[in-house]
Amino acid sequence: MDKVLLIIQREYFTRVRKKAFIIMIFVVPLLILAMGAVITLVARNSDNLSDPLVVKVIDLSGQFSGKFKNQKNLTFELTTQSIDDLKPALNKDGDLSALVIPTDYTKKDSVKIYSQKKPGITLTSKIEEEMNAIAINNGMLKNHIDTSLLHSIKSDISLNPMEITSSGTNKTSQGADIAVGIACAVLIYLCLFIYGAQVMRGVIEEKTSRIIEVVISSVKPFQLMLGKIIGVGLVGLTQFAAWIVLSIVSTKIVGHALSSPQGGMMQALAALQTIHFGSLLFYFLFYFLTGYLLYSALFAAVGSAVDSETETQQFMFPVTLPLLFTYILSVSILFRAPDSPLAVWLSMIPFTAPVAMMVRIPFGVPGWQLAISMSLMVVTFIFTTYVAARIYRVGILMYGKKASYKELVKWFFYKE
Amino acid sequence: MLSIRNIVKQYAGHTALSDVSLEVKSGQIFGLLGPNGAGKTSLIRIITQITAPDSGEIYFNGQKLNQSHIDRMGYLPEERGLYKKMEIGEQMIYLARLKGLSRDEAIKRLKVWFKKLGMETWWKMKIEELSKGMQQKAQFVATVLHEPDLIILDEPFSGFDPVNAEIIKDEILELNRNGATILFSTHRMESVEELCDSIALINKSKKILDGSVKIIRNSYRNGTFLVEYSGDRIIFDGKQPFDLVEEMAADDETHTLKIKLAGANSSNDVLQYIIPLARINMLQELVPSMNEIFIENVNKIA
């Protein structure tokens, strides 16, 4: 056991001391921070036009004259000039555009807007919105409907989802559930890959540098494999811990710097507060650890069977397929139907559960399903570790031999 | 020290060791000889418990071989290798600690060894910054740092230049004088005669010869002698007590003969025959070298 501890120490410290590790710790939260800032800025600015625009209105129908309301950076000017007369001016001034409303303006695509460059979506949607409002108003007037009365009874309904739990009714946010579910699934998927591959590379390094024979004349192959898996896993946990701390700090800072109290960022943060981060973190760590143990053992076996990283392809594909498959389903389908049979099954099968279950958890998963899924995870990782260890102990001593699946099976059945 | 009894090891498709038994006595330098692919490395891996035999037993100091013996052995594999990106000092400490040494003890002993072999400046260097020969030296130190009772060296001299090979040879001898038993495999026969007390010759998974080097060589004596004399060339009449194998090139004064004793005659009879005819400069028995014995035995089987 002391020796496993020594191996864990070596695996952990050689990785943590690397520059790449320290850079990753800071770069990832910075990226998240930058992305958050960009999203906030874009969201805040997309409602407004950045440059003052002037729209010349040629109203042939006579229905809209004088009814356009000027907005920030958007001025409507009625004109009697024809479009041909306006063209030279339009050519010169990029911020000028001309709106031509024909008499039969209700016909599809009959209203035209002319400008030197393509008009932005914000501009066209604002004009459409304005024209629709005016046209509806006109229609109501024509049919003797009192618009002021209508305005007073007009409502603005948006659903406020509440979740009933044993401890009472909680405010919930579907958007936040989806976002957190997908984020966790992506993170688990990436981490299983990154750290699993690190284990594999470590095994290949020991094999190609031939140090393996020195080490396993001191420790059992299983001890070495276990030490490596645990050591790399701890590196992963260290990285998470650092990211969580940095992310909390940085969102706080960004939240203060960029948002007015009613700003989008604050709303997003408020929505996120409806998630139970304590239990989420628990499940994330559980599924990361069991999933990591499950996959890294397989990655270690793959590493032991090859002589260089380029040879890993044939074995990597079946190992990574279930993960990739679930990942693609998770970000496309599963979050829309977290309780569908597909989602439930995927979150039970241990090879897909770490990713699939993380998508489901924010929406609430029945306790019995979690219990089955989690016990299956534990049983399976013990099983894959056993299988992998048997392949590993033979594979690491097989230099210069291209292993086939048949050979791996043979290795598995070798006596000690 | 090490008693290997009836070891059998089979890999899919071929037999690596069939019924091999050996005795290595405490304090010996034991040479494990054999052509490539004979099963030497397989046997060594079984002794170091990297793999297990299909059948047969090994006793280490009278006890059946078990995990606790691992720390009492030092193993230098034929395929050398260390962690390329790790600093030498750290790496040596790590390997020593895997053999049960404390950190402080490892550092203390390392300093002694580094000084002895002129490696003091290497402490902070990474393996990949060292030359092949330097890496070998470092690995040798790692093998013996925990002062094992049994040192197993697989082709210890391959990869060393003559100067460093000599240094390593002296270190091996010194370790042996200090009580370590040494088992090494090699196909460099001259080092066998120089170093080994006993040998075992393995070919095609079978042990075909073992015992003390002296006894083996004596058993291969076949009464061949080299005679050098001065004077006129002797014309043999067929009554001499030996057969003439070869008359070697001679100058005017000295002549050299290679002879083989005939019947029950001894070297004294040879001298008595020649003394009246010429002045004898030299009479030397030609004992076959280990190299010749090796080749003869390997070819006999093939």
Side-chain angles (χ1 to χ4, degrees), chain A residues 323-364:
Chain A
L323 262 188
L324 188 68
F325 170 72
T326 326
Y327 167 72
I328 292 169
L329 282 182
S330 298
V331 295
S332 57
I333 301 174
L334 294 190
F335 73 88
R336 283 181 229 266
D339 290 318
S340 64
L342 178 71
V344 173
W345 277 108
L346 285 178
S347 63
M348 292 290 140
I349 300 168
F351 290 92
T352 58
V355 174
M357 195 53 109
M358 284 325 291
V359 180
R360 295 185 62 208
I361 278 174
F363 296 95

mmCIF file of all heavy atoms in Angstrom, chain A residues 323-364:
data_model
loop_
_atom_site.group_PDB
_atom_site.id
_atom_site.type_symbol
_atom_site.label_atom_id
_atom_site.label_comp_id
_atom_site.label_asym_id
_atom_site.label_seq_id
_atom_site.Cartn_x
_atom_site.Cartn_y
_atom_site.Cartn_z
ATOM 1 N N LEU A 323 -19.400 6.956 -25.126
ATOM 2 C CA LEU A 323 -19.314 8.309 -24.568
ATOM 3 C C LEU A 323 -19.706 9.353 -25.601
ATOM 4 O O LEU A 323 -20.502 10.257 -25.336
ATOM 5 C CB LEU A 323 -17.873 8.589 -24.137
ATOM 6 C CG LEU A 323 -17.501 8.419 -22.679
ATOM 7 C CD1 LEU A 323 -16.098 8.921 -22.455
ATOM 8 C CD2 LEU A 323 -18.471 9.158 -21.791
ATOM 9 N N LEU A 324 -19.142 9.191 -26.785
ATOM 10 C CA LEU A 324 -19.375 10.156 -27.849
ATOM 11 C C LEU A 324 -20.851 10.172 -28.233
ATOM 12 O O LEU A 324 -21.477 11.227 -28.367
ATOM 13 C CB LEU A 324 -18.520 9.767 -29.064
ATOM 14 C CG LEU A 324 -18.491 10.772 -30.201
ATOM 15 C CD1 LEU A 324 -17.751 12.022 -29.760
ATOM 16 C CD2 LEU A 324 -17.817 10.179 -31.424
ATOM 17 N N PHE A 325 -21.416 8.982 -28.356
ATOM 18 C CA PHE A 325 -22.814 8.785 -28.704
ATOM 19 C C PHE A 325 -23.725 9.508 -27.697
ATOM 20 O O PHE A 325 -24.599 10.298 -28.065
ATOM 21 C CB PHE A 325 -23.056 7.271 -28.706
ATOM 22 C CG PHE A 325 -24.487 6.854 -28.821
ATOM 23 C CD1 PHE A 325 -25.156 6.999 -30.023
ATOM 24 C CD2 PHE A 325 -25.152 6.300 -27.735
ATOM 25 C CE1 PHE A 325 -26.471 6.595 -30.138
ATOM 26 C CE2 PHE A 325 -26.465 5.893 -27.843
ATOM 27 C CZ PHE A 325 -27.132 6.044 -29.044
ATOM 28 N N THR A 326 -23.475 9.268 -26.407
ATOM 29 C CA THR A 326 -24.302 9.896 -25.376
ATOM 30 C C THR A 326 -24.115 11.396 -25.358
ATOM 31 O O THR A 326 -25.060 12.160 -25.133
ATOM 32 C CB THR A 326 -23.921 9.356 -23.984
ATOM 33 O OG1 THR A 326 -23.548 8.011 -24.111
ATOM 34 C CG2 THR A 326 -25.079 9.490 -23.035
ATOM 35 N N TYR A 327 -22.881 11.795 -25.592
ATOM 36 C CA TYR A 327 -22.604 13.230 -25.580
ATOM 37 C C TYR A 327 -23.416 13.941 -26.663
ATOM 38 O O TYR A 327 -24.053 14.960 -26.418
ATOM 39 C CB TYR A 327 -21.112 13.448 -25.780
ATOM 40 C CG TYR A 327 -20.740 14.867 -26.096
ATOM 41 C CD1 TYR A 327 -20.811 15.843 -25.101
ATOM 42 C CD2 TYR A 327 -20.342 15.236 -27.370
ATOM 43 C CE1 TYR A 327 -20.488 17.143 -25.382
ATOM 44 C CE2 TYR A 327 -20.024 16.535 -27.661
ATOM 45 C CZ TYR A 327 -20.094 17.489 -26.665
ATOM 46 O OH TYR A 327 -19.781 18.780 -26.944
ATOM 47 N N ILE A 328 -23.405 13.355 -27.859
ATOM 48 C CA ILE A 328 -24.138 13.985 -28.967
ATOM 49 C C ILE A 328 -25.637 13.998 -28.666
ATOM 50 O O ILE A 328 -26.314 15.012 -28.844
ATOM 51 C CB ILE A 328 -23.839 13.243 -30.298
ATOM 52 C CG1 ILE A 328 -22.389 13.484 -30.690
ATOM 53 C CG2 ILE A 328 -24.780 13.702 -31.393
ATOM 54 C CD1 ILE A 328 -21.895 12.605 -31.812
ATOM 55 N N LEU A 329 -26.152 12.881 -28.163
ATOM 56 C CA LEU A 329 -27.569 12.829 -27.794
ATOM 57 C C LEU A 329 -27.885 13.843 -26.694
ATOM 58 O O LEU A 329 -28.927 14.493 -26.714
ATOM 59 C CB LEU A 329 -27.934 11.429 -27.307
ATOM 60 C CG LEU A 329 -28.152 10.371 -28.375
ATOM 61 C CD1 LEU A 329 -28.543 9.062 -27.733
ATOM 62 C CD2 LEU A 329 -29.231 10.818 -29.356
ATOM 63 N N SER A 330 -26.974 13.983 -25.748
ATOM 64 C CA SER A 330 -27.229 14.852 -24.601
ATOM 65 C C SER A 330 -27.455 16.286 -25.016
ATOM 66 O O SER A 330 -28.394 16.939 -24.569
ATOM 67 C CB SER A 330 -26.056 14.803 -23.632
ATOM 68 O OG SER A 330 -25.915 13.513 -23.145
ATOM 69 N N VAL A 331 -26.565 16.770 -25.883
ATOM 70 C CA VAL A 331 -26.670 18.185 -26.225
ATOM 71 C C VAL A 331 -27.740 18.427 -27.285
ATOM 72 O O VAL A 331 -28.095 19.565 -27.557
ATOM 73 C CB VAL A 331 -25.316 18.751 -26.713
ATOM 74 C CG1 VAL A 331 -24.310 18.705 -25.565
ATOM 75 C CG2 VAL A 331 -24.796 17.985 -27.903
ATOM 76 N N SER A 332 -28.283 17.345 -27.886
ATOM 77 C CA SER A 332 -29.291 17.569 -28.914
ATOM 78 C C SER A 332 -30.696 17.151 -28.487
ATOM 79 O O SER A 332 -31.659 17.877 -28.705
ATOM 80 C CB SER A 332 -28.899 16.826 -30.194
ATOM 81 O OG SER A 332 -28.737 15.454 -29.913
ATOM 82 N N ILE A 333 -30.837 15.997 -27.842
ATOM 83 C CA ILE A 333 -32.176 15.459 -27.568
ATOM 84 C C ILE A 333 -32.490 15.345 -26.078
ATOM 85 O O ILE A 333 -33.536 15.796 -25.620
ATOM 86 C CB ILE A 333 -32.325 14.056 -28.207
ATOM 87 C CG1 ILE A 333 -32.101 14.146 -29.716
ATOM 88 C CG2 ILE A 333 -33.697 13.478 -27.906
ATOM 89 C CD1 ILE A 333 -32.085 12.788 -30.394
ATOM 90 N N LEU A 334 -31.566 14.774 -25.338
ATOM 91 C CA LEU A 334 -31.894 14.356 -23.972
ATOM 92 C C LEU A 334 -32.429 15.488 -23.099
ATOM 93 O O LEU A 334 -33.333 15.300 -22.312
ATOM 94 C CB LEU A 334 -30.670 13.735 -23.303
ATOM 95 C CG LEU A 334 -30.185 12.422 -23.903
ATOM 96 C CD1 LEU A 334 -29.128 11.795 -23.014
ATOM 97 C CD2 LEU A 334 -31.330 11.445 -24.085
ATOM 98 N N PHE A 335 -31.881 16.694 -23.250
ATOM 99 C CA PHE A 335 -32.304 17.767 -22.353
ATOM 100 C C PHE A 335 -33.742 18.206 -22.625
ATOM 101 O O PHE A 335 -34.394 18.788 -21.775
ATOM 102 C CB PHE A 335 -31.337 18.959 -22.423
ATOM 103 C CG PHE A 335 -31.448 19.769 -23.683
ATOM 104 C CD1 PHE A 335 -32.356 20.828 -23.761
ATOM 105 C CD2 PHE A 335 -30.639 19.493 -24.773
ATOM 106 C CE1 PHE A 335 -32.446 21.576 -24.909
ATOM 107 C CE2 PHE A 335 -30.735 20.235 -25.926
ATOM 108 C CZ PHE A 335 -31.638 21.274 -26.002
ATOM 109 N N ARG A 336 -34.244 17.908 -23.834
ATOM 110 C CA ARG A 336 -35.634 18.246 -24.148
ATOM 111 C C ARG A 336 -36.589 17.259 -23.489
ATOM 112 O O ARG A 336 -37.741 17.564 -23.237
ATOM 113 C CB ARG A 336 -35.862 18.182 -25.657
ATOM 114 C CG ARG A 336 -35.328 19.359 -26.403
ATOM 115 C CD ARG A 336 -35.654 19.157 -27.872
ATOM 116 N NE ARG A 336 -34.489 19.373 -28.678
ATOM 117 C CZ ARG A 336 -34.207 20.549 -29.244
ATOM 118 N NH1 ARG A 336 -35.009 21.560 -29.077
ATOM 119 N NH2 ARG A 336 -33.132 20.691 -29.969
ATOM 120 N N ALA A 337 -36.131 16.022 -23.316
ATOM 121 C CA ALA A 337 -36.999 14.993 -22.745
ATOM 122 C C ALA A 337 -36.220 14.202 -21.699
ATOM 123 O O ALA A 337 -35.843 13.059 -21.914
ATOM 124 C CB ALA A 337 -37.501 14.060 -23.846
ATOM 125 N N PRO A 338 -35.946 14.829 -20.557
ATOM 126 C CA PRO A 338 -35.067 14.179 -19.567
ATOM 127 C C PRO A 338 -35.686 12.935 -18.930
ATOM 128 O O PRO A 338 -34.992 12.191 -18.276
ATOM 129 C CB PRO A 338 -34.820 15.263 -18.531
ATOM 130 C CG PRO A 338 -35.916 16.250 -18.716
ATOM 131 C CD PRO A 338 -36.353 16.176 -20.140
ATOM 132 N N ASP A 339 -36.995 12.722 -19.088
ATOM 133 C CA ASP A 339 -37.590 11.536 -18.487
ATOM 134 C C ASP A 339 -38.028 10.516 -19.525
ATOM 135 O O ASP A 339 -38.735 9.565 -19.216
ATOM 136 C CB ASP A 339 -38.789 11.923 -17.620
ATOM 137 C CG ASP A 339 -38.317 12.651 -16.378
ATOM 138 O OD1 ASP A 339 -37.303 12.201 -15.800
ATOM 139 O OD2 ASP A 339 -38.925 13.668 -16.007
ATOM 140 N N SER A 340 -37.598 10.701 -20.765
ATOM 141 C CA SER A 340 -37.962 9.757 -21.819
ATOM 142 C C SER A 340 -37.256 8.420 -21.575
ATOM 143 O O SER A 340 -36.228 8.372 -20.910
ATOM 144 C CB SER A 340 -37.548 10.317 -23.175
ATOM 145 O OG SER A 340 -36.145 10.435 -23.209
ATOM 146 N N PRO A 341 -37.832 7.337 -22.090
ATOM 147 C CA PRO A 341 -37.196 6.021 -21.897
ATOM 148 C C PRO A 341 -35.737 6.009 -22.351
ATOM 149 O O PRO A 341 -34.878 5.451 -21.675
ATOM 150 C CB PRO A 341 -38.035 5.090 -22.774
ATOM 151 C CG PRO A 341 -39.345 5.771 -22.922
ATOM 152 C CD PRO A 341 -39.088 7.241 -22.853
ATOM 153 N N LEU A 342 -35.456 6.679 -23.489
ATOM 154 C CA LEU A 342 -34.074 6.714 -23.977
ATOM 155 C C LEU A 342 -33.154 7.314 -22.921
ATOM 156 O O LEU A 342 -32.111 6.756 -22.581
ATOM 157 C CB LEU A 342 -34.003 7.536 -25.272
ATOM 158 C CG LEU A 342 -32.597 7.688 -25.846
ATOM 159 C CD1 LEU A 342 -32.102 6.364 -26.412
ATOM 160 C CD2 LEU A 342 -32.558 8.774 -26.926
ATOM 161 N N ALA A 343 -33.578 8.458 -22.383
ATOM 162 C CA ALA A 343 -32.756 9.138 -21.387
ATOM 163 C C ALA A 343 -32.585 8.265 -20.152
ATOM 164 O O ALA A 343 -31.489 8.166 -19.593
ATOM 165 C CB ALA A 343 -33.387 10.475 -21.008
ATOM 166 N N VAL A 344 -33.674 7.618 -19.727
ATOM 167 C CA VAL A 344 -33.595 6.783 -18.525
ATOM 168 C C VAL A 344 -32.637 5.621 -18.749
ATOM 169 O O VAL A 344 -31.766 5.352 -17.933
ATOM 170 C CB VAL A 344 -34.993 6.268 -18.132
ATOM 171 C CG1 VAL A 344 -34.879 5.270 -16.980
ATOM 172 C CG2 VAL A 344 -35.886 7.433 -17.730
ATOM 173 N N TRP A 345 -32.788 4.957 -19.900
ATOM 174 C CA TRP A 345 -31.892 3.826 -20.171
ATOM 175 C C TRP A 345 -30.442 4.262 -20.245
ATOM 176 O O TRP A 345 -29.559 3.629 -19.671
ATOM 177 C CB TRP A 345 -32.305 3.118 -21.473
ATOM 178 C CG TRP A 345 -33.412 2.138 -21.244
ATOM 179 C CD1 TRP A 345 -34.710 2.268 -21.632
ATOM 180 C CD2 TRP A 345 -33.332 0.899 -20.530
ATOM 181 N NE1 TRP A 345 -35.442 1.190 -21.207
ATOM 182 C CE2 TRP A 345 -34.623 0.321 -20.523
ATOM 183 C CE3 TRP A 345 -32.286 0.221 -19.889
ATOM 184 C CZ2 TRP A 345 -34.903 -0.888 -19.917
ATOM 185 C CZ3 TRP A 345 -32.567 -1.000 -19.281
ATOM 186 C CH2 TRP A 345 -33.859 -1.544 -19.296
ATOM 187 N N LEU A 346 -30.200 5.336 -20.964
ATOM 188 C CA LEU A 346 -28.806 5.791 -21.100
ATOM 189 C C LEU A 346 -28.216 6.146 -19.743
ATOM 190 O O LEU A 346 -27.019 5.991 -19.519
ATOM 191 C CB LEU A 346 -28.733 6.999 -22.041
ATOM 192 C CG LEU A 346 -28.886 6.676 -23.519
ATOM 193 C CD1 LEU A 346 -28.841 7.955 -24.341
ATOM 194 C CD2 LEU A 346 -27.809 5.717 -23.998
ATOM 195 N N SER A 347 -29.059 6.645 -18.839
ATOM 196 C CA SER A 347 -28.516 7.029 -17.535
ATOM 197 C C SER A 347 -28.375 5.822 -16.606
ATOM 198 O O SER A 347 -27.876 5.949 -15.504
ATOM 199 C CB SER A 347 -29.386 8.098 -16.883
ATOM 200 O OG SER A 347 -30.671 7.585 -16.648
ATOM 201 N N MET A 348 -28.828 4.653 -17.065
ATOM 202 C CA MET A 348 -28.650 3.423 -16.276
ATOM 203 C C MET A 348 -27.403 2.656 -16.719
ATOM 204 O O MET A 348 -26.692 2.082 -15.924
ATOM 205 C CB MET A 348 -29.864 2.494 -16.448
ATOM 206 C CG MET A 348 -31.128 3.022 -15.853
ATOM 207 S SD MET A 348 -31.006 3.004 -14.066
ATOM 208 C CE MET A 348 -31.802 4.550 -13.714
ATOM 209 N N ILE A 349 -27.194 2.623 -18.046
ATOM 210 C CA ILE A 349 -26.054 1.869 -18.581
ATOM 211 C C ILE A 349 -24.766 2.560 -18.136
ATOM 212 O O ILE A 349 -24.557 3.739 -18.444
ATOM 213 C CB ILE A 349 -26.115 1.807 -20.121
ATOM 214 C CG1 ILE A 349 -27.414 1.128 -20.557
ATOM 215 C CG2 ILE A 349 -24.908 1.079 -20.683
ATOM 216 C CD1 ILE A 349 -27.712 1.261 -22.029
ATOM 217 N N PRO A 350 -23.883 1.854 -17.408
ATOM 218 C CA PRO A 350 -22.730 2.525 -16.797
ATOM 219 C C PRO A 350 -21.811 3.237 -17.788
ATOM 220 O O PRO A 350 -21.178 4.224 -17.434
ATOM 221 C CB PRO A 350 -21.993 1.385 -16.105
ATOM 222 C CG PRO A 350 -23.032 0.353 -15.864
ATOM 223 C CD PRO A 350 -23.981 0.439 -17.026
ATOM 224 N N PHE A 351 -21.732 2.717 -19.022
ATOM 225 C CA PHE A 351 -20.801 3.332 -19.966
ATOM 226 C C PHE A 351 -21.311 4.679 -20.469
ATOM 227 O O PHE A 351 -20.536 5.500 -20.933
ATOM 228 C CB PHE A 351 -20.535 2.389 -21.145
ATOM 229 C CG PHE A 351 -19.736 1.196 -20.753
ATOM 230 C CD1 PHE A 351 -20.356 0.031 -20.352
ATOM 231 C CD2 PHE A 351 -18.351 1.242 -20.741
ATOM 232 C CE1 PHE A 351 -19.619 -1.069 -19.954
ATOM 233 C CE2 PHE A 351 -17.607 0.152 -20.345
ATOM 234 C CZ PHE A 351 -18.249 -1.015 -19.945
ATOM 235 N N THR A 352 -22.630 4.885 -20.380
ATOM 236 C CA THR A 352 -23.183 6.150 -20.861
ATOM 237 C C THR A 352 -23.712 7.006 -19.708
ATOM 238 O O THR A 352 -23.953 8.193 -19.883
ATOM 239 C CB THR A 352 -24.326 5.888 -21.851
ATOM 240 O OG1 THR A 352 -25.316 5.096 -21.193
ATOM 241 C CG2 THR A 352 -23.846 5.146 -23.069
ATOM 242 N N ALA A 353 -23.882 6.378 -18.545
ATOM 243 C CA ALA A 353 -24.535 7.064 -17.432
ATOM 244 C C ALA A 353 -23.872 8.377 -17.000
ATOM 245 O O ALA A 353 -24.583 9.356 -16.745
ATOM 246 C CB ALA A 353 -24.663 6.117 -16.246
ATOM 247 N N PRO A 354 -22.532 8.445 -16.918
ATOM 248 C CA PRO A 354 -21.953 9.690 -16.391
ATOM 249 C C PRO A 354 -22.436 10.913 -17.169
ATOM 250 O O PRO A 354 -22.750 11.942 -16.568
ATOM 251 C CB PRO A 354 -20.445 9.477 -16.557
ATOM 252 C CG PRO A 354 -20.262 8.017 -16.535
ATOM 253 C CD PRO A 354 -21.486 7.441 -17.196
ATOM 254 N N VAL A 355 -22.487 10.801 -18.481
ATOM 255 C CA VAL A 355 -22.916 11.955 -19.275
ATOM 256 C C VAL A 355 -24.435 12.106 -19.230
ATOM 257 O O VAL A 355 -24.963 13.181 -18.937
ATOM 258 C CB VAL A 355 -22.436 11.807 -20.742
ATOM 259 C CG1 VAL A 355 -22.990 12.925 -21.599
ATOM 260 C CG2 VAL A 355 -20.919 11.800 -20.799
ATOM 261 N N ALA A 356 -25.168 10.995 -19.477
ATOM 262 C CA ALA A 356 -26.625 11.082 -19.568
ATOM 263 C C ALA A 356 -27.254 11.513 -18.243
ATOM 264 O O ALA A 356 -28.182 12.325 -18.220
ATOM 265 C CB ALA A 356 -27.191 9.734 -20.009
ATOM 266 N N MET A 357 -26.726 10.973 -17.140
ATOM 267 C CA MET A 357 -27.329 11.305 -15.857
ATOM 268 C C MET A 357 -27.119 12.770 -15.507
ATOM 269 O O MET A 357 -27.989 13.406 -14.915
ATOM 270 C CB MET A 357 -26.737 10.400 -14.769
ATOM 271 C CG MET A 357 -27.514 10.397 -13.469
ATOM 272 S SD MET A 357 -29.274 10.024 -13.682
ATOM 273 C CE MET A 357 -29.408 8.402 -12.972
ATOM 274 N N MET A 358 -25.970 13.327 -15.885
ATOM 275 C CA MET A 358 -25.716 14.730 -15.548
ATOM 276 C C MET A 358 -26.696 15.660 -16.252
ATOM 277 O O MET A 358 -27.048 16.710 -15.735
ATOM 278 C CB MET A 358 -24.273 15.129 -15.907
ATOM 279 C CG MET A 358 -23.206 14.629 -14.962
ATOM 280 S SD MET A 358 -23.656 14.540 -13.237
ATOM 281 C CE MET A 358 -23.786 16.268 -12.832
ATOM 282 N N VAL A 359 -27.167 15.250 -17.435
ATOM 283 C CA VAL A 359 -28.168 16.073 -18.118
ATOM 284 C C VAL A 359 -29.480 16.020 -17.349
ATOM 285 O O VAL A 359 -30.198 17.007 -17.230
ATOM 286 C CB VAL A 359 -28.401 15.565 -19.560
ATOM 287 C CG1 VAL A 359 -29.432 16.424 -20.263
ATOM 288 C CG2 VAL A 359 -27.102 15.565 -20.329
ATOM 289 N N ARG A 360 -29.798 14.862 -16.812
ATOM 290 C CA ARG A 360 -31.095 14.670 -16.168
ATOM 291 C C ARG A 360 -31.166 15.264 -14.769
ATOM 292 O O ARG A 360 -32.237 15.697 -14.334
ATOM 293 C CB ARG A 360 -31.412 13.174 -16.094
ATOM 294 C CG ARG A 360 -31.596 12.506 -17.452
ATOM 295 C CD ARG A 360 -32.019 11.069 -17.275
ATOM 296 N NE ARG A 360 -33.308 10.986 -16.594
ATOM 297 C CZ ARG A 360 -33.685 9.949 -15.843
ATOM 298 N NH1 ARG A 360 -32.896 8.933 -15.665
ATOM 299 N NH2 ARG A 360 -34.871 9.954 -15.263
ATOM 300 N N ILE A 361 -30.060 15.243 -14.059
ATOM 301 C CA ILE A 361 -30.108 15.577 -12.634
ATOM 302 C C ILE A 361 -30.720 16.951 -12.324
ATOM 303 O O ILE A 361 -31.556 17.058 -11.428
ATOM 304 C CB ILE A 361 -28.716 15.379 -11.992
ATOM 305 C CG1 ILE A 361 -28.553 13.901 -11.673
ATOM 306 C CG2 ILE A 361 -28.560 16.201 -10.722
ATOM 307 C CD1 ILE A 361 -27.200 13.500 -11.173
ATOM 308 N N PRO A 362 -30.389 18.001 -13.058
ATOM 309 C CA PRO A 362 -30.994 19.288 -12.711
ATOM 310 C C PRO A 362 -32.518 19.279 -12.810
ATOM 311 O O PRO A 362 -33.192 20.053 -12.136
ATOM 312 C CB PRO A 362 -30.394 20.255 -13.737
ATOM 313 C CG PRO A 362 -29.140 19.609 -14.165
ATOM 314 C CD PRO A 362 -29.400 18.145 -14.131
ATOM 315 N N PHE A 363 -33.091 18.382 -13.634
ATOM 316 C CA PHE A 363 -34.539 18.323 -13.770
ATOM 317 C C PHE A 363 -35.178 17.483 -12.667
ATOM 318 O O PHE A 363 -36.384 17.411 -12.559
ATOM 319 C CB PHE A 363 -34.921 17.707 -15.129
ATOM 320 C CG PHE A 363 -34.476 18.536 -16.300
ATOM 321 C CD1 PHE A 363 -33.285 18.263 -16.941
ATOM 322 C CD2 PHE A 363 -35.244 19.612 -16.733
ATOM 323 C CE1 PHE A 363 -32.861 19.031 -18.003
ATOM 324 C CE2 PHE A 363 -34.820 20.372 -17.803
ATOM 325 C CZ PHE A 363 -33.617 20.090 -18.438
ATOM 326 N N GLY A 364 -34.367 16.795 -11.894
ATOM 327 C CA GLY A 364 -34.894 15.934 -10.852
ATOM 328 C C GLY A 364 -35.016 14.518 -11.363
ATOM 329 O O GLY A 364 -35.645 14.268 -12.382
#
